Amino acid sequence: DQQVKQNSPSLSVQEGRISILNCDYTNSMFDYFLWYKKYPAEGPTFLISISSIKDKNEDGRFTVFLNKSAKHLSLHIVPSQPGDSAVYFCAASFQGAQKLVFGQGTRLTINP
Amino acid sequence: KAGVTQTPRYLIKTRGQQVTLSCSPISGHRSVSWYQQTPGQGLQFLFEYFSETQRNKGNFPGRFSGRQFSNSRSEMNVSTLELGDSALYLCASSFGTGHHEQYFGPGTRLTVT
């Protein structure tokens, strides 16, 4: 039972445009959500997080939106840069537990 | 501040052997979590240690075990290795209380032949 799903295995975006990565979850107990970026042969790098009491969180070029009623979150990257090319994972947890449940990842490619 | 470190980075073992992986968390972090990444199953939670106690456990067989020392460093052990244990093993550290981000190490690539 996959509780966190990233339905797009890959996404290709032109440099300078907006990248939108999507994530759906099924467990309504999740109350904290995170996005990580991963390069090959490296560990995931934390990007941005959001608590379920908020619907938006911004950090520089990265914005995460949370729609609790739809059990959906998205990561917006504006403007997209070549260095953003990586695999992006969304993750969820609940009640402060350190157990993260990850989606399968979306490979983002930024084209010059 | 130094990041999470994991040793060794690469390991090749034979089926039936056992292996021990090591993780040093970020200074001040008391929680260490372990994850397994494989192409088929993605990133899966193994277990979490906080103040030398296992606090959470994922759905892995008993061959997978871990421990945490008083300085928060952690080790995980896999006994009786199987081919399917070939994976990238990632360690992550956090403060461990409330909602805090986990910071990952570079991982240990284990190959079982």
Side-chain angles (χ1 to χ4, degrees):
Chain A
D1 175 31
Q2 197 170 352
Q3 300 184 68
V4 178
K5 298 180 184 179
Q6 294 175 256
N7 292 317
S8 298
S10 63
L11 176 67
S12 186
V13 175
Q14 195 167 2
E15 182 180 357
R17 306 294 291 267
I18 183 172
S19 295
I20 300 176
L21 297 111
N22 294 303
C23 180
D24 297 296
Y25 61 96
T26 57
N27 190 340
S28 57
M29 296 294 292
F30 288 139
D31 59 5
Y32 196 64
F33 303 89
L34 309 92
W35 283 94
Y36 285 85
K37 177 169 79 170
K38 189 177 185 302
Y39 295 117
E42 293 183 14
T45 300
F46 169 74
L47 282 174
I48 192 168
S49 61
I50 187 167
S51 165
S52 61
I53 62 174
K54 295 184 175 181
D55 53 19
K56 177 182 174 182
N57 189 26
E58 261 181 284
D59 185 1
R61 295 187 299 116
F62 302 94
T63 302
V64 56
F65 296 92
L66 175 63
N67 182 333
K68 286 190 295 295
S69 60
K71 295 192 179 69
H72 176 85
L73 64 154
S74 61
L75 175 68
H76 292 210
I77 306 174
V78 184
S80 299
Q81 300 173 353
D84 296 331
S85 295
V87 178
Y88 288 77
F89 292 93
C90 68
S93 68
F94 62 92
Q95 294 181 345
Q98 300 306 300
K99 173 182 178 179
L100 294 179
V101 180
F102 282 88
Q104 291 295 95
T106 296
R107 182 176 300 278
L108 175 64
T109 302
I110 306 302
N111 302 307
Chain B
K1 191 186 266 192
V4 178
T5 58
Q6 290 186 246
T7 56
R9 292 293 311 277
Y10 303 92
L11 207 48
I12 300 175
K13 289 287 189 178
T14 304
R15 205 167 36 173
Q17 288 185 315
Q18 75 164 19
V19 67
T20 299
L21 311 181
S22 181
C23 172
S24 292
I26 291 171
S27 177
H29 284 186
R30 296 167 63 192
S31 169
V32 173
S33 299
W34 289 88
Y35 295 83
Q36 180 196 64
Q37 185 183 25
T38 59
Q41 299 298 317
L43 272 156
Q44 291 190 294
F45 174 80
L46 280 156
F47 32 66
E48 182 233 354
Y49 285 85
F50 180 81
S51 292
E52 303 178 65
T53 301
Q54 186 180 87
R55 196 163 60 167
N56 286 292
K57 189 176 189 305
N59 295 325
F60 279 81
R63 300 186 297 107
F64 292 82
S65 62
R67 59 177 175 168
Q68 186 180 34
F69 302 94
S70 58
N71 61 358
S72 294
R73 191 177 69 84
S74 177
E75 290 181 345
M76 69 163 280
N77 185 78
V78 188
S79 62
T80 320
L81 284 165
E82 300 177 359
L83 296 179
D85 297 333
S86 294
L88 180 67
Y89 289 89
L90 292 157
C91 162
S93 77
S94 71
F95 289 108
T97 55
H99 287 305
H100 288 284
E101 299 75 33
Q102 292 185 27
Y103 294 88
F104 284 81
T108 295
R109 170 70 63 184
L110 172 65
T111 302
V112 182
T113 61

